[in-house]
Every structure is written in structure tokens, then in C-alpha cells.
Amino acid sequence: MNIPITIPFVDLNLQHQPIKNQLQQAIQAVLEQGDFVLGKTLSDFEAAFAVASGTKYGIGVASGTDAIALGLQACNIGAGDEVILPANTFVATLIGVLRTGAKPILVDCDRHTALIDLEAAAKAITSKTKAIIPVHLYGQMVSPKQLLDLADTYKILIFEDAAQAHLAEREGYRAGSVGIAAAFSFYPSKNLGAFGDGGILLTRDQEVAEKMVRLRNYGASRKYFHTEIGTNSRLDTIQAAVLQQKLPYLQNWNRDRLNVAKNYDAELAPFATKGIIPIQNHSDEGHVYHLYVIKVCESCAVERCVIQEQLTAMGIQTGIHYPIPCHLQPGFSNLGYQKGDFPQAEMLANKILSLPMYPGLSNSKTQKITDALAQILKVNSPDESLLFA
Ligand SMILES: *Cc1c(COP(=O)(O)O)cnc(C)c1O
């Protein structure tokens, strides 16, 4: 039986419909100009996004994964270097490191925020450590102050994975302005999404920017003159045109996401005693809530998989970001990690559940979702049903 979806996990139509005409006109303009690769609209967008993020240079590439892999290379990170990153991130962070030839060093995360544990990171630093990749997971930045302290103490680089954190803020810093460079993704469902794949590297360092410009374009420093082994990874002009049109709305969309999160926070407060706890926000209004994630704790009478199944049965889509931490993915078994190496990351993978989150998700819909959750908990734990009566 096909259950109709009453509340989708994301709804991109809601953001595209109101600006449909301007999006179509921007795409049409590129068709007429014909500058499909490395066109003017690309450089305009690159500059605009860099400025909006509080930094200097933007270099558009084909994906967030390429922004990480080529960006690390542009920072001269490669074979012989160690790079520290969290075990609970999307695998693209790890893939990016592996593509450079550097050795990834995974570390655990904080159980409350799901962000990289910077104490664990400090302990993992060796004489070979070249950089740390803080992943601004779910839209929340890793503390810039603590990162800068760490980088300063140990003389290592900060390379931000900001794929989920466009325009996020914390302690007066914007995502993308903390480290030597930062990678963003424009995958359609990210806070700023293209009509297909895309990504960008931001940096305030001119040399990194210049090397990145070569790396994305076959390693060419000028036409048909190749100073290094680059690749073909450019953000299409058409995608840049779409992103350029959407950028002015991003701050409002992010604010909308924050309001949705506040609705959830308020509605879910009574669920704490039932073992349903949201991932903590330590960055106040600077969290851009790419995802709204709850933990279904040990004390919850209903298992996560049952909650997810029953929400699905009620037409409410949810997700798990991510169900298997990087170190337990079969494709990376040769890194030598084992079950038990990163207990917090493993605990989160088993307990987290992402609720629907997108700009325009109404209060009545979040209410419907939390009502459904209450009903599931009530039906499945009759002794305590009075709590929700
Ligand atoms: C989406 C994402 C990426 C990869 O970006 P793509 O554009 O899909 O290649 C990397 N890191 C994180 C944390 C992401 O969420």
C-alpha cells in the first residue's frame, strides 16, 4: 500500500514557486549569452557569496565533495599529512580527505550537539597533523573561538566543511570565515541549493584561491598551459544564475528555519521526560537548521525504528543523518577502525531522527508532527498515557 505523504521531509517547491519567474528569466539569460562554462554570472555569484559569508574569494565547483577534495589540495594538503575530522559526518568529508592522499584521523563528537569533540581532536594531533575539518553539522557552527585557539596552539589549519551551514553564525563569525578555507555544497536540498549538483570553496587567502582556480580547470594557469594535475570541476553558469537569484532570500529562509526549530523546541519540551531530546543549539540565533534532529534516548518506551515507521504510516517523512558513522562504513574498513572506537558517534547513529525541516513549514504542521509523536508514544506505552492525556 502506498501511503500518501501529508508532510514531506523537504519541500523545495515552497521556495521556488514564489520566485519562479525570476529563476526562469535568469536561466533564459544564460541561454542567450551562451557562456555556459565559467561565464560572467558565475564570477558575480562567487563574489557575492564570498562577501555574504564574510570572506574574500569564492571558487565555484561541481559539488561540495569537490570543494573539499580540491580545496584541501589548494591548501597544499596531501600525502604524508594527517587531517582530523569527525566520525559522524556525511561520508563526503572523509572522501574529500582521502582523495588528496592525506591520512584521515577520525575523532568522536559531543553527544549533546553532535559536533566534533575538540578535546578529542586536540589529543589526536601529532607532528604530521596539517589540518582539522570542523563540520558545521545540521547548520550549527563548531565554536570558532575554540577552533582558533586549538589551531593557534598546535599550528594547524582550519578547513571548514560548511556544506550544511550557509550563513550560519557563532561568536561573531560566519561559516566560511573562520579557517583558511571552507567548502559549501549547493545540492538542491541544502540551505542554498542549485537545480542540480554544485559547490564552492571560500577563502581569504589569495594563493589558495589562485590554486583552486587552476585545480578546477585542468590545472591550467592560462589556456593550454598546465602547472599541475587538476581536474574538470566547475560550477555551471546556469547553476550560478539560479543561486544568484536565490541568494538574496537565503537569510529569510534561514530565519524561517530557526522559527520552525523554535516551534519544535517548544512543542517537544514536554517529551523530555519521555526520552525524546533535541540536539542542543549552542549558537542561539546563528543556527541555520539545515536539519532538525532529535534523539530517541534509552529511556524512551518506543524504539526509534518504530517511531519512524509509524510516522511514515501517518504520512510524515523523516530521515536519519546518518545511520552509519564513517568509521563503520564497509567502504572504509581499510582505515582500520572498529565498532566501539567512537562511542558518541555510534550512540547518535542509533538514536537520532531528523524531523521535516524547510522554510515555510507551518506551525500547524509542526504541531501535527509532534501530536503524531505524542500519539505514538501514548499508544505504545499505555501505563504512562496519562502524561499526554
Ligand atoms: C552535502 C554534504 C557534503 C557534500 O556535498 P555534495 O555537494 O553532495 O558533494 C559534504 N559534507 C557535508 C557535511 C554535507 O552535508
Side-chain angles (χ1 to χ4, degrees):
M1 188 183 77
N2 260 339
I3 299 145
I5 295 162
T6 50
I7 307 179
F9 188 64
V10 289
D11 185 350
L12 297 178
N13 256 330
L14 222 51
Q15 55 174 239
H16 293 147
Q17 279 307 320
I19 56 169
K20 195 170 107 190
N21 287 342
Q22 71 185 83
L23 289 168
Q24 282 173 345
Q25 279 163 21
I27 291 169
Q28 188 63 35
V30 178
L31 297 191
E32 278 156 26
Q33 284 155 233
D35 56 351
F36 299 109
V37 174
L38 298 176
K40 181 172 180 307
T41 312
L42 173 61
S43 41
D44 289 348
F45 169 71
E46 288 171 332
F49 189 67
V51 169
S53 303
T55 186
K56 208 160 169 191
Y57 306 101
I59 304 95
V61 290
S63 69
T65 308
D66 276 0
I68 298 167
L70 300 176
L72 288 168
Q73 272 180 271
C75 295
N76 298 317
I77 290 164
D81 297 327
E82 291 180 0
V83 176
I84 293 172
L85 69 155
N88 66 321
T89 178
F90 183 52
V91 286
T93 321
L94 177 55
I95 291 169
V97 174
L98 288 168
R99 273 175 51 189
T100 68
K103 184 176 180 193
I105 305 292
L106 298 176
V107 298
D108 212 350
C109 60
D110 179 279
R111 57 205 289 259
H112 302 294
T113 61
L115 298 174
I116 187 169
D117 176 344
L118 290 178
E119 276 174 35
K123 286 188 193 130
I125 291 173
T126 71
S127 58
K128 288 184 181 162
T129 308
K130 192 83 179 271
I132 179 171
I133 307 184
V135 179
H136 301 321
L137 201 68
Y138 305 151
Q140 168 160 230
M141 288 179 74
V142 177
S143 166
K145 279 186 187 151
Q146 289 179 36
L147 273 172
L148 289 163
D149 266 359
L150 184 82
D152 191 48
T153 306
Y154 297 99
K155 308 296 169 219
I156 57 172
L157 300 174
I158 300 167
F159 184 99
E160 298 165 75
D161 181 340
Q164 303 187 357
H166 314 69
L167 301 192
E169 287 179 1
R170 188 165 177 179
E171 297 157 1
Y173 292 86
R174 277 234 161 130
S177 71
V178 181
I180 183 164
F184 291 76
S185 165
F186 299 126
Y187 180 77
S189 63
K190 299 288 161 98
N191 290 39
L192 181 61
F195 286 177
D197 277 308
I200 198 168
L201 185 85
L202 298 186
T203 179
R204 70 175 103 83
D205 186 298
Q206 191 182 343
E207 276 180 37
V208 171
E210 285 170 356
K211 186 162 177 183
M212 190 68 181
V213 165
R214 298 194 296 274
L215 287 174
R216 74 166 174 189
N217 196 35
Y218 321 103
S221 60
R222 56 175 198 272
K223 198 161 193 180
Y224 303 135
F225 187 76
H226 303 267
T227 53
E228 54 227 300
I229 304 171
T231 189
N232 173 356
S233 177
R234 297 158 309 203
L235 181 63
D236 289 332
T237 311
I238 279 188
Q239 299 297 354
V242 168
L243 293 163
Q244 173 90 313
Q245 293 305 312
K246 290 175 74 171
L247 182 57
Y249 300 94
L250 180 55
Q251 209 155 19
N252 280 338
W253 288 335
N254 281 344
R255 200 165 306 132
D256 235 42
R257 287 173 180 273
L258 182 67
N259 287 332
V260 172
K262 285 179 176 172
N263 288 340
Y264 274 132
D265 282 346
E267 291 158 18
L268 288 172
F271 289 69
T273 52
K274 288 278 209 174
I276 301 281
I277 313 267
I279 293 292
Q280 288 180 7
N281 173 12
H282 290 187
S283 43
D284 305 317
E285 308 270 299
H287 197 320
V288 295
Y289 282 98
H290 175 58
L291 295 167
Y292 187 89
V293 179
I294 58 170
K295 280 189 285 186
V296 180
C297 299
E298 215 74 72
S299 59
C300 187
V302 188
E303 280 182 67
R304 177 187 63 181
C305 64
V306 176
I307 292 180
Q308 186 171 36
E309 273 167 22
Q310 297 198 2
L311 285 172
T312 307
M314 296 176 186
I316 297 166
Q317 278 188 326
T318 56
I320 297 172
H321 302 88
Y322 298 91
I324 306 172
C326 287
H327 68 291
L328 300 180
Q329 291 286 355
F332 306 106
S333 59
N334 65 339
L335 294 177
Y337 291 107
Q338 289 173 10
K339 204 166 174 185
D341 282 347
F342 305 113
Q344 304 307 338
E346 290 168 29
M347 176 277 290
L348 285 172
N350 290 325
K351 299 200 178 326
I352 48 177
L353 186 67
S354 310
L355 302 181
M357 169 53 83
Y358 48 88
L361 180 65
S362 63
N363 199 353
S364 66
K365 290 217 166 96
T366 58
Q367 189 72 61
K368 220 171 168 173
I369 294 162
T370 47
D371 284 351
L373 208 50
Q375 198 188 324
I376 292 166
L377 296 183
K378 190 153 98 179
V379 168
N380 290 283
S381 52
D383 339 340
E384 293 177 55
S385 60
L386 284 176
L387 270 182
F388 284 94

